[in-house]
Structure formats: C-alpha cells, structure tokens
Amino acid sequence: MYVIGLEGTAHTAGVGIVSSEGDVLANVKSVYTTEVGGFRPRDAAAHHAREFPGLIRQALEVSGLSPGDLGLVAFSQGPGMGPCLRTTAVAARTIALALRIPIVGVNHCVAHLEIGRLRTGAEDPVMLYVSGGNTQVIAYAAGRYRVFGETLDIGIGNMLDKLAREMGLGFPGGPRIMEMARRGERLLDLPYSVKGMDVAFSGILTAAKAHLRRGARPEDVAFSVQEYAFAMVVEAAERAMAHLGKEEILLAGGVALNERLQEMARIMAEERGASYHCPEPEFLPDNGAMIAWTGYLMYSSGVRMRIEDTVVRQNFRTDEVEVTWR
Ligand code: ATP
Ligand code: FE2
C-alpha cells in the first residue's frame, strides 16, 4: 500500500509518500516565511493553499507513482493554527473524495515520534521534541504517548527566533544563532529554569536582550543562550528517562538540527549508558512523510475515519490518541 501524507500545522506545507514497508518515496515541502518575522496564520494558510497542488504533483513525480496507486491519505489534524489546519484538511479531503480512498487525521506530535522510530530504529524512546512552537518531552506509557515535560511559556525555537530578530538576523533565527554561537567565547549569566521536567524560556530571552543592550558581544550572547537553553531541555529529557526507566533518547523538531544540542544529548545518553537517536535532517522539522507513515500505522491497526470525523483540532493533545499500533 502507498500512503500520501499532508503536513500543514504551521509554517510548513509538506507532502510525503510512504509505502506500507516504511520506505519513504517522496518528502517535499514549502516553508512560509516573512521578511520582517512574525507569523500571520491567515497568510501561512494562503501559502499552503497556493503550494499544495504543486507539492502533491511533485511528490507523485518523485515517487514514480500515479494517483491511482495511492491507497490512503493522511493529514495533520492538529495541534496547530486553525487556518493552516483547515486548508490542509480541505486538500486531504479533496484527495480522498477524488480518488475514493480512505482518510485519517494524524496528531502532529505523535507523527514526529513515529517517523523518528522508523528512521532510527529506536524502540521505546523518550522523545525530546524541540521546534518553533513546541518544546515537549514525550514518551509511551500505558497505551498512550504522554507529555512528561514541556515549556511553561514560549517554544525554544520561538525564543531563538525572537532573539535573532532582536539581533537583526532575520527568520528563521535558529540556524543563524548557531553560526554566531560558534564564535562565542564567554559564558554570560542567564536564568536556568527547569522545574521537574518542565522548562521556561522567556526569562532567558529577557536577560539575553539586557546583555545586548549593555554592549555584550552578540556572539557571546548566542553562545550563552544555546548553552543554557539546551542544557535545560536535555536535563528535562534525562529526568524523564530516569523516571520512566527508558534507555533511548530520540530528537525531533527543527531545533534538533542544532549541532550543539545534538552533542549535548549524545553526551547525556553516553553518560547514562543509554542510546542516542536522531533521524536524518529532512525528518526533523515538520514534513509530510511523518504524517503519511503515522497515518499508515493508524489505518493498519484498524483506525477508520469518515469525512465528518476529519474536523481539525487546534488543541489536539498528544495523550488523546489511543496508540492502537503498539
Ligand atoms: P511546530 O512547532 O508545529 O513543529 P515549526 O514551524 O516551528 O512548527 P520546525 O520546522 O520543526 O517547526 O522548526 C522550526 C524551528 O527550528 C525554528 O524556530 C527555527 O529557528 C529552528 N531551527 C532550525 N534550524 C535550527 C538550528 N540549526 N539550530 C536551532 N534552531 C533551528
Ligand atoms: Fe512539528
């Protein structure tokens, strides 16, 4: 069976095609960005509406399949921005009705975890999911994926993007902060905020801006912010591993493209005798393949949805999904 998956919870319109054997035949995307930064959901939704038809064609071309080969369509049902989710759902319903194939709505956070397991071979990991809007520590327990820790204010990527904007670096800020941090030399004082397995970043952002105003080198600020913020999320993940007795860490989300975060997570895993897992770069940020694969897992374990069940869910919680395929 071949499955097409549409991702569209936030900035990214992504289309992936996977086989029931877990081969990824296509994974294409287009990311909505603005010059000035700032996220306007309606503009992002308009971007997705513009891009999906071409992306779907492109994915079919890359995969070498024709529309008639598709047996299932999956889409990101939530959580995310209402306008983006609705646009994506409309595209998916159109495919389902035109091709007369079944449709399933997928939880975006669960999809990050499942594509990570597929690509790395991790079996029962603690996932550290770090992106623009999300910062969560998720793991399997008693039939569900549960959130054991999360940010109490803004997402870690959001914090990096805001800091980059303050420095005049543009969007997305994460990669530019990473570049700059390589030339950092001094560790500046910042608030370190971990409560149990939860973290918070607005204090770091405020303190970093204050350092900049007082004339600190931007390179030192970038370096210090990374050291503090990444140490915090890695500590939260480590606590979850200790608490749950799990021996694998899995990275997910766009911020996990960061080389320093990867290094810290790897070292933490080594020191506890655990294993470190990170999928290839194309599977870390939002992508269509993760939706297609998770849709397949759901469908093959008996999940069925009618078109009426495909209403989007902006606040779709990770632990609302019954994990029927494990
Ligand atoms: P969601 O939160 O729904 O997953 P998103 O659009 O934020 O949506 P991603 O594409 O996973 O999701 O991640 C984008 C984020 O990753 C941005 O905040 C960006 O700055 C950050 N990012 C990308 N590359 C790096 C990097 N090398 N280092 C740090 N952060 C990075
Ligand atoms: Fe995501």
Side-chain angles (χ1 to χ4, degrees):
M1 177 185 226
Y2 296 108
V3 184
I4 188 165
L6 271 54
E7 159 60 36
T9 54
H11 297 81
T12 304
V15 180
I17 298 178
V18 305
S19 75
S20 44
E21 280 70 48
D23 295 316
V24 176
L25 307 183
N27 197 21
V28 297
K29 66 173 171 178
S30 167
V31 181
Y32 158 83
T33 55
T34 51
E35 288 298 313
V36 286
F39 182 85
R40 287 187 298 271
R42 281 167 59 204
D43 291 350
H47 162 270
H48 295 358
R50 245 186 346 264
E51 296 291 325
F52 268 129
L55 289 168
I56 292 162
R57 260 196 300 276
Q58 197 190 339
L60 283 166
E61 214 170 280
V62 173
S63 68
L65 300 177
S66 55
D69 297 324
L70 299 172
L72 174 69
V73 55
F75 72 101
S76 54
Q77 193 168 12
M81 309 285 178
C84 301
L85 293 173
R86 285 191 289 276
T87 301
T88 307
V90 167
R93 287 180 206 125
T94 307
I95 294 175
L97 294 170
L99 300 179
R100 298 170 190 275
I101 57 176
I103 183 170
V104 288
V106 170
N107 179 291
H108 176 91
C109 306
V110 170
H112 273 292
L113 203 149
E114 288 302 343
I115 198 73
R117 291 210 306 145
L118 174 71
R119 300 304 300 185
T120 67
E123 280 177 22
D124 185 21
V126 165
M127 174 172 75
L128 176 56
Y129 171 30
V130 279
S131 66
N134 292 293
T135 304
Q136 300 187 329
V137 176
I138 299 174
Y140 182 82
R144 311 228 166 195
Y145 287 119
R146 298 179 195 275
V147 178
F148 288 92
E150 63 192 322
T151 180
L152 299 174
D153 46 40
I154 54 177
I156 187 170
N158 213 298
M159 183 271 290
L160 294 172
D161 293 336
K162 284 187 169 144
L163 179 65
R165 202 162 146 193
E166 188 78 12
M167 293 178 171
L169 297 176
F171 181 89
R176 288 152 187 176
I177 298 272
M178 180 171 85
E179 282 296 318
M180 210 168 227
R182 289 195 188 122
R183 298 189 301 275
E185 285 157 4
R186 264 187 72 207
L187 188 65
L188 306 169
D189 202 31
L190 293 170
Y192 186 90
S193 168
V194 183
K195 292 194 181 73
M197 290 175 250
D198 293 329
V199 291
F201 297 107
S202 58
I204 290 189
L205 182 60
T206 307
K209 285 182 183 169
H211 279 300
L212 288 169
R213 272 199 304 278
R214 286 195 298 268
R217 280 177 75 228
E219 290 83 354
D220 292 337
V221 174
F223 168 72
S224 306
V225 165
Q226 284 201 168
E227 293 303 304
Y228 274 81
F230 296 163
M232 281 162 48
V233 291
V234 169
E235 180 180 335
E238 181 171 21
R239 285 193 183 180
M241 290 168 81
H243 175 73
L244 296 163
K246 300 213 193 253
E247 284 167 359
E248 298 166 312
I249 179 158
L250 171 68
L251 296 187
V255 179
L257 289 166
N258 190 288
E259 60 193 21
R260 180 61 178 139
L261 175 62
Q262 293 182 2
E263 184 183 21
M264 283 192 194
R266 199 180 318 116
I267 292 169
M268 179 273 279
E270 268 164 24
E271 285 177 352
R272 329 183 23 92
S275 61
Y276 164 82
H277 302 269
C278 183
E280 305 95 310
E282 72 172 289
F283 299 105
L284 281 171
D286 295 350
N287 64 90
M290 70 182 193
I291 302 299
W293 176 241
T294 308
Y296 169 72
L297 292 174
M298 293 169 69
Y299 187 81
S300 64
S301 66
V303 175
R304 298 290 181 271
M305 287 186 191
R306 295 162 304 167
I307 291 288
E308 304 89 275
D309 304 326
T310 60
V311 179
V312 304
R313 304 172 67 178
Q314 284 189 59
N315 302 312
F316 197 176
R317 287 159 44 102
T318 306
D319 61 10
E320 286 178 64
V321 180
E322 196 189 331
V323 181
T324 46
W325 57 93
R326 276 184 65 158

